[in-house]
Amino acid sequence: RSHRSARVAAIRHRRSRGAVVIMDVRLGYHHQGGEPHLEDLEQQFRKACKTALQEIERRQGVIQSRLKRVSKERKELAAERRQIEDESASLELQQADLDEKLAELSEIRNQLGSGARCWLSCCNRPAKDAELDVSRDHSLALVSAVNVLRVKGAGTHEVNGSYKKECDNGETYFQQIGGRKAIYFSHGDTYGLPNAWYLGEVHRGQGKYYCKHDDESTIPFAGWEVFDDETFSRPGDHPPPLLEPES
């Protein structure tokens, strides 16, 4: 009996011992009743905190970068807005100035009234006898329709200039304004010369340039040549001149 009691006590002791070991393992103690894993828990906590801080810093950097970009874009938009406002104000001033000028022009037009219509009528096509007569070879004008001629482009520069129409004993010629040169018509057959308009040193003087022409009532503008005659010329330099009426 005593032997049986000892066996029961041993079995109970082993069961009690196993329960303690199981409980120790669940609570994190050493299987032989040692100290808990505090260092491991502390390291895990520190590692988790470090990871969390790194993530927070990363997100803060992203947020700051986005805030800077938004601030820059906001400043740019503000600058563009100010520029648009300035341009709008400038356009408004220009429009106001244009409106004022248009009003002034309208007032001037109203003041002109019939005077403007009269001015327009004065600018109509000139009379038939005052028009240029264009032939196959030369541009011509009626002498009666021309008051002042302009000579230009001559190689002898002193002949260039304006010539005013003059009449002397029924003969019409053009006298250089401020000079002695003259443009006159001559029936040259008396001297063995062609009928032509001559540009001479003086009226009826030695010719420098000439343009062959049979009608003294019209004067040619183009087709002039250097007049080279042993007796009656004092030749001008090339090129010969062109003529045009001067208003």
Side-chain angles (χ1 to χ4, degrees):
R1 184 177 180 180
S2 60
H3 181 69
R4 184 180 178 183
S5 298
R7 289 181 61 189
V8 171
I11 291 170
R12 289 178 176 175
H13 178 73
R14 285 197 298 271
R15 289 178 177 176
S16 175
R17 181 77 175 176
V20 171
V21 171
I22 292 172
M23 183 62 68
D24 289 346
V25 172
R26 290 179 178 176
L27 292 177
Y29 292 88
H30 293 289
H31 64 280
Q32 294 180 352
E35 297 296 328
H37 296 280
L38 294 179
E39 293 181 359
D40 293 339
L41 293 174
E42 184 177 358
Q43 289 179 0
Q44 293 177 5
F45 177 74
R46 288 180 177 176
K47 184 177 181 181
C49 288
K50 183 178 181 180
T51 302
L53 288 174
Q54 290 176 348
E55 180 65 18
I56 291 172
E57 290 177 355
R58 186 187 69 80
R59 293 188 179 184
Q60 285 181 343
V62 173
I63 292 172
Q64 290 177 358
S65 177
R66 290 180 179 178
L67 287 174
K68 288 181 180 179
R69 185 168 65 251
V70 170
S71 178
K72 181 180 179 180
E73 292 176 353
R74 184 177 180 182
K75 291 179 180 179
E76 291 176 352
L77 289 173
E80 291 179 358
R81 181 178 180 181
R82 287 193 298 270
Q83 183 178 359
I84 292 173
E85 290 176 350
D86 293 341
E87 292 178 354
S88 178
S90 176
L91 290 174
E92 290 178 357
L93 290 175
Q94 293 180 22
Q95 184 63 46
D97 185 57
L98 288 175
D99 292 340
E100 183 179 354
K101 290 181 178 179
L102 286 174
E104 292 177 358
L105 290 174
S106 178
E107 181 66 21
I108 292 173
R109 184 177 59 184
N110 292 334
Q111 291 176 358
L112 288 175
S114 59
R117 291 190 295 272
C118 179
W119 178 81
L120 289 174
S121 66
C122 293
C123 294
N124 290 335
R125 189 175 181 178
K128 183 68 176 179
D129 62 350
E131 295 180 9
L132 294 180
D133 176 20
V134 180
S135 69
R136 184 178 61 182
D137 298 325
H138 306 294
S139 294
L140 307 174
L142 290 169
V143 173
S144 61
V146 178
N147 291 320
V148 180
L149 282 174
R150 173 173 289 276
V151 176
K152 62 180 183 179
T156 301
H157 299 294
E158 62 191 44
V159 307
N160 294 325
S162 298
Y163 291 70
K164 184 179 179 181
K165 184 168 63 178
E166 301 287 351
C167 292
D168 185 16
N169 295 323
E171 181 184 1
T172 301
Y173 64 98
F174 294 87
Q175 181 66 49
Q176 186 180 36
I177 297 175
R180 300 183 61 193
K181 306 293 188 291
I183 301 172
Y184 57 91
F185 184 85
S186 176
H187 295 281
D189 53 358
T190 304
Y191 309 98
L193 299 174
N195 296 336
W197 282 92
Y198 294 84
L199 196 163
E201 290 288 345
V202 294
H203 182 219
R204 294 293 175 182
Q206 291 178 309
K208 303 182 79 65
Y209 301 98
Y210 78 123
C211 185
K212 297 176 183 179
H213 197 59
D214 291 325
D215 185 6
E216 61 181 315
S217 67
T218 60
I219 184 168
F221 294 156
W224 287 75
E225 304 174 59
V226 173
F227 184 45
D228 188 1
D229 182 83
E230 293 181 359
T231 305
F232 299 100
S233 73
R234 192 170 182 180
D237 296 327
H238 285 281
L242 292 173
L243 277 62
E244 64 182 10
E246 183 176 289
S247 58

